[in-house]
Amino acid sequence: MSVRPLHAPSDHEVELHFARMARWLRMESHAEIERLSERKKAQGEGNAEKGGETLLNMIVLDQVAGLGGFQLVTLGRQPKAPPMPWHRLRVGAPVVVSPMDSDLTSAGVSGVVSERTSETLQVAMSRIPDERRLRIDMAADEVTRQRQSQALRRAQSATGRLAHLRKVLLGQRVPEFGPIEELDLPDYLNASQQDAIRVARSAYDLAVIHGPPGTGKTTTLVALIVQAVVAGEKVFACAPSNTAVDHLLEELVDAGQRVVRIGHPARVTPRLQHHCLDGLMEQHESQVVVKAMRRQAEDLLRQAEKWTRAPRASGDRHQMRRAARDLEQEAKNLERYMARSILDGADIVCATTTFNDDFLGNRHFDLGVIDEACQSTEPGSWCPLPFVDKIVLAGDPQQLPPTVLSLEAAAEGFDRSLMQRVMELHGPGISRLLDVQYRMHQQIMEFSSEQLYEGRLIADRSVRDHRLCDLPGVIEKPITMVPVEFYDSAGANWDEELEPSGLSKRNRNEAKLVLKKVRELMAAGVDPHAIGVIAPYAAQVRLLRDSASQQSPRDLWRNVEIDTVDGFQGREKEAIIISLVRSNPQNEIGFLADRRRMNVALTRARRKLMVIGDSATLGIEPFYQAFLQYISDIQAYHTVWEEDIE
């Protein structure tokens, strides 16, 4: 099997490509410094929490011992205090916890978000600041950028297998495939999934699995990994985010595989921690010896520092300290042996793409896979490559791109993933599209399929016609029987407004209609847990959450999830309501023009999708013109004049 011929870039062009990526990483670092400066300015103006990267007036509610010597500290608000606002501090985010009266340059305690609820945040850290009232701030992630820079330097100067992969990924060589063989694949895989696995197994260096929303991309990857293990291969399975790695790990565990997760133990979902390296080391038979060595070393240090009246022989203290250092070194050596033996016993190692490569040493894998590869900037995707013989990239370039802070770097191409670039470079010969989706009603799926996937998506019969009213306890009413509805605010003067902080936009009337539709869904028997509300602007999310917190009964409304598009990436709900916010005489729609972002929002719903927006503002963009035409074709159009929201 072969792919289309290509024009190979020169060595000088390759050198320039790596130089650009290194420069983009520096621009990202500068952008983060500027963000910190803006946060300090917002703090002075009383808007520190508006950007979603800071939480104020937090107190310690609980603390327990965690893996790796960390304390798992649960923080929240005092009783009767205002609830925690919407924020971007997700599981795995690096943070700094510091006293409330400190400025952002003061030394706080670094930590990692290990768990989050609507009312609390759990942080893994070495100690807790002494003050009662605390603040939590998103921290700069320089360690990740340093690892990416190192990966670029290693790839640029590589010889051997990594040099071969570099040439393929940059277009100096054509990807090579062997004959496609018949494989004993599970019956639950559809034809496109089986084809993707066969092509990936036949690849000598590179293959791509293109998985649109709901098409079982991770399920396909897991089946591919199992096939590799059956063939006696070792596999390195990665993803850009901790959430995606945990999802991959969970499916591999359910498939009965011998798998180990490396990385910060706080970044691992609690139910999976006994599959992470730290958890397995805690259970290792040699752990008792390690702890005994460390206790003995601590005792020797205490004795060395202890003051006594009786004179000591010359050099006693020095000998005690040296013996303590020797014991500590022996403990570290034993830990390395434990880690090596655990990893040697695993068929699969899982990690984020920007892992600490000290864990792996000189270990090498027959196959590397990167799930959600389109959510990683290119330098991040280079990190696993020195450890693998071939790489399979899985993702969807029609969904959210990598998060890039520097607008200048993004405009120059830093938000273009390695997977997107190799698909454009080598053409369709290296990739396979998964074409059967198992999430959405056909009418919810069809628009995205036509606009972004050449009309190739097929709704599986298990979901093709399912509706809310088919769920137990849900009443048959128009709102539960019709799968798609659009509510048009054109001409109603539902203008957007800038939030007082000036950081984001909101639309009060759209928010009122959203709340009304949530009430109607719950009145029809839809479980609040099954309802999601998406707004592309953080200010609208804050407005909706504040308004929802005042609704009754509060215990039900608390279970309705309200978040940004980014917050719903990789998620789904039975019913989704989208508030598009933008409504202005200038017909400006901002980043709504990014159809990848809209694609994510439109494909989160399983049985019911409601969209609220101003057709006069949106219709200036061809993508939304097509959407409005589709709404008309399926007779899903409504005007907000039909609704009483007062």
Side-chain angles (χ1 to χ4, degrees), residues 185-386:
L185 296 171
D187 292 338
Y188 61 77
L189 296 172
N190 63 50
S192 67
Q193 292 171 328
Q194 293 187 14
D195 182 44
I197 292 171
R198 291 190 182 99
V199 170
R201 288 296 295 153
S202 73
Y204 289 136
D205 34 45
L206 169 69
V208 170
I209 297 176
H210 183 185
T215 55
K217 169 180 53 61
T218 303
T219 299
T220 306
L221 262 191
V222 168
L224 169 65
I225 292 168
V226 170
Q227 285 291 316
V229 171
V230 169
E233 298 178 5
K234 296 286 188 178
V235 183
F236 190 27
C238 300
S241 71
N242 288 283
T243 301
V245 175
D246 282 348
H247 181 44
L248 195 56
L249 174 63
E250 189 170 25
E251 291 210 18
L252 287 166
V253 169
D254 290 345
Q257 298 302 298
R258 294 188 301 176
V259 56
V260 175
R261 164 84 143 93
I262 61 173
H264 195 304
R267 290 183 162 102
V268 182
T269 305
R271 69 181 180 278
L272 297 172
Q273 285 192 347
H274 58 287
H275 292 284
C276 77
L277 185 58
D278 286 84
L280 292 168
M281 286 177 66
E282 284 286 331
Q283 302 165 25
H284 197 280
E285 57 186 11
S286 298
Q287 188 62 239
V288 175
V289 180
V290 170
K291 290 181 177 178
M293 286 179 174
R294 292 221 159 98
R295 281 195 301 269
Q296 189 176 353
E298 290 169 3
D299 288 343
L300 285 168
L301 287 173
R302 278 195 295 269
Q303 290 178 44
E305 301 303 324
K306 189 175 181 181
W307 180 85
T308 62
R309 289 180 181 275
R312 281 183 171 168
S314 176
D316 276 1
R317 293 192 181 192
H318 176 71
Q319 290 176 2
M320 287 181 181
R321 292 192 188 106
R322 186 172 62 185
R325 286 196 301 271
D326 290 345
L327 279 168
E328 178 62 31
Q329 187 58 51
E330 286 185 45
K332 288 181 179 178
N333 290 340
L334 187 51
E335 282 183 327
R336 290 193 189 97
Y337 162 77
M338 291 159 53
R340 190 163 57 247
S341 65
I342 290 168
L343 291 172
D344 286 345
D347 294 317
I348 308 156
V349 174
C350 288
T352 58
T353 48
T354 50
F355 59 97
N356 180 355
D357 59 15
D358 289 343
F359 285 115
L360 296 184
N362 295 322
R363 191 168 269 97
H364 208 74
F365 300 86
D366 303 282
L367 170 66
V369 300
I370 302 180
D371 196 7
E372 304 294 359
C374 289
Q375 293 180 40
S376 171
T377 59
E378 184 168 335
S381 292
W382 282 96
C383 294
L385 295 177

